[in-house]
Amino acid sequence: MDDFTRKFNLATEKDEEIHQILLTVYRALEEKGYNPINQIVGYILSEDPTYITNHNNARTLIRKIDRDELLQVLVRKYLGQ
């Protein structure tokens, strides 16, 4: 058995896709007059898609992202990794 820690690493391509989806969702929420940060956080915490508007297909887009992957990307970006 191995005595070392394995690292889990998402592909940069996937990170960029998540980034683009979040930007699209953010803009759609903003265009509809919502506070995008509050709505996205509400969605992440509850996984309730009604936090995200249907405008510009934002709700369908956000549901393409696995919530765990989204959180991993956000934490990595926040920590600068």
Side-chain angles (χ1 to χ4, degrees):
M1 177 147 294
D2 297 332
D3 282 340
F4 58 90
T5 302
R6 296 188 189 275
K7 294 181 181 180
F8 180 75
N9 206 353
L10 286 178
T12 306
E13 206 171 283
K14 184 70 172 174
D15 287 5
E16 183 57 31
E17 178 186 3
I18 290 172
H19 177 78
Q20 290 304 314
I21 289 172
L22 273 179
L23 282 176
T24 301
V25 169
Y26 183 94
R27 289 181 187 129
L29 288 164
E30 201 171 45
E31 286 174 13
K32 293 304 280 182
Y34 295 105
N35 179 322
I37 300 298
N38 288 346
Q39 296 303 113
I40 293 169
V41 168
Y43 171 74
I44 291 170
L45 292 175
S46 69
E47 207 167 5
D48 180 358
T50 61
Y51 276 97
I52 307 300
T53 182
N54 277 321
H55 181 65
N56 289 341
N57 211 25
R59 190 176 294 165
T60 301
L61 288 172
I62 196 85
R63 294 183 79 190
K64 288 182 177 182
I65 304 172
D66 178 71
R67 191 169 60 162
D68 290 340
E69 287 181 347
L70 174 58
L71 287 170
Q72 287 176 18
V73 169
L74 292 173
V75 170
R76 271 200 313 277
K77 294 291 183 184
Y78 185 79
L79 295 175
Q81 296 181 5

